[in-house]
Amino acid sequence: MALRMLASRPDPALYTLPWALPLEEWPDDVVVPLARGLSRHVVRIVRVRGNIYAVKETQADIARREYNMLRELQRLGLPTVVAKSVVTGRKDRDGNDLNAALMTDHLTYSLPYRALFERGLAADRLPSLIDALVVLLVRLHLAGFYWGDVSLSNVLFVRDAAGFAAYLVDAETGELKAELSDRLREYDLEVAYQNIYGELLDLQASESLPEAFPIDAIVERLQDRYKALWRELTEEQVFSAEEMWHIEQRIERLHDLGFDVEELDITTSEDGDTVALRPRVVELGHHRRELRTLTGLDVQDAQARRILNDISAYRATRELGDQPIEVAASRWLREIYEPIVAMRPPGAAAKLTPAQMFHEILEHRWVLSQFAGEWVKLINAAESYYEDVIAHRPDEAVTPPPED
């Protein structure tokens, strides 16, 4: 059987990869020495004409199923890696069959959880990873996706202001349904509990976590945070017909969590005395969409929220309160954000996204101001950050975007 490639936006250069070799034997001139998570399959990160892909060997039917599942999740706007290609019909030089391969785009600036700890992530930051995984799991469940293998190993993490955003990597065991039953949601939570408990024990054994680290509390946090977020996003709320302000209050709470309400189910009792309110369609990205509308910047949601706060502060200090927010945002972009980003030293683009660096500069400014006993200018904080902080950070992108 001849080599066959099913691909979205096919790149002819993919045919030049050494498909006649088992993946574990691919040469160093193809493989990128990039951190990758644990997997039951052989996985390699490869470079093709400047593009970075993850390649996983598996059975042909499993590869095709996962490829289609990832594309469907992408179509639904969910945070997953992007399926690139399925390669079947592979044979070695002796004519023996080789496993099929699934290719996905490498998620720039993302890292597996183990790599984060290897790069010095403090143990007290672990709750941020759990919180990111909870948001991902809730979003998947709202869309009707049953994961079946929830774990830290099946996720990539991207820095998002003081926390992280989580992206699904492995959809091999997943199923997409019209609506997910409570039983399947609970099963996913139980699988998450068991898998993550084991992963944290492994981190402890490798001395990435202190021996006395409260693993039980962390996995319980996963379940507690999941249930609280699911309740806020889906629970029916009943109130008096004279208290319609509860509708706006519920929407504002969801906005604070970063979610937009796309559809509400509002019903009144037969006597008209009470009202029942339940969100029907919610979508994460409220702050991200608002910032993109105002400035054109496309960043993670927590980063967007921090930047929106900085725009509000800029608007107040420049006495632009009587001007439309669009005017203040445009001036902030031109006078604050773009000059600070332009100050990045050579090579800094490989370390963090501009939005993450801007967030960290704001944090750095606060620390410097505390020591100085007075408010440090942003440009001085940026100079200090670029010289004393970012210069010593490891790269988190193999092929970063071109310098601005």
Side-chain angles (χ1 to χ4, degrees), residues 198-225:
E199 289 168 329
L200 297 187
L201 286 177
D202 287 343
L203 283 177
Q204 211 167 43
S206 66
E207 300 184 351
S208 294
L209 289 179
E211 186 175 343
F213 191 81
I215 291 178
D216 287 330
I218 290 296
V219 290
E220 288 172 5
R221 178 190 182 94
L222 170 81
Q223 295 186 320
D224 292 343
R225 289 298 182 97

Side-chain angles (χ1 to χ4, degrees), residues 63 106 148 160 183 195 209 218 239 296:
H106 172 66
D160 185 10
R183 182 181 64 82
N195 285 343
L209 289 179
I218 290 296
F239 48 87

Side-chain angles (χ1 to χ4, degrees), residues 32-50:
V32 178
L34 187 68
R36 59 183 187 273
L38 297 178
S39 174
R40 66 178 70 87
H41 305 285
V42 178
V43 178
R44 292 291 183 268
I45 310 297
V46 302
R47 186 196 307 269
V48 182
R49 290 186 181 175

Side-chain angles (χ1 to χ4, degrees), residues 134 137-138 141 146 150 182-196 219 222-227 230:
V134 165
L137 185 56
V138 167
H141 283 177
Y146 164 68
V150 187
D182 290 342
R183 182 181 64 82
L184 286 178
R185 289 195 304 105
E186 290 295 332
Y187 185 77
D188 253 356
L189 270 182
E190 182 61 31
V191 169
Y193 187 100
Q194 295 176 8
N195 285 343
I196 293 172
V219 290
L222 170 81
Q223 295 186 320
D224 292 343
R225 289 298 182 97
Y226 174 92
K227 291 175 181 176
W230 184 265

Side-chain angles (χ1 to χ4, degrees), residues 232-250:
E232 185 63 50
L233 295 179
T234 65
E235 188 174 61
E236 182 177 85
Q237 181 180 359
V238 180
F239 48 87
S240 166
E242 298 177 354
E243 299 176 314
M244 298 300 285
W245 50 268
H246 280 294
I247 297 176
E248 187 65 28
Q249 185 185 64
R250 182 72 175 271

Side-chain angles (χ1 to χ4, degrees), residues 322-393:
D322 60 340
Q323 298 289 322
I325 183 63
E326 291 81 3
V327 173
S330 178
R331 284 187 54 179
W332 172 89
L333 185 68
R334 185 175 63 255
E335 298 175 8
I336 304 296
Y337 184 81
E338 290 177 346
I340 293 299
V341 170
M343 291 171 58
R344 289 180 299 173
K351 300 177 183 296
L352 296 172
T353 65
Q356 184 64 26
M357 278 190 272
F358 187 82
H359 159 76
E360 294 192 4
I361 288 169
L362 295 178
E363 294 288 298
H364 189 63
R365 179 193 197 183
W366 186 86
V367 172
L368 293 178
S369 299
Q370 292 295 304
F371 277 108
E374 61 182 6
W375 199 236
V376 173
K377 291 182 177 179
L378 185 60
I379 191 170
N380 294 334
E383 290 171 348
S384 171
Y385 173 84
Y386 287 136
E387 181 177 348
D388 300 330
V389 179
I390 199 65
H392 306 290
R393 294 280 286 269

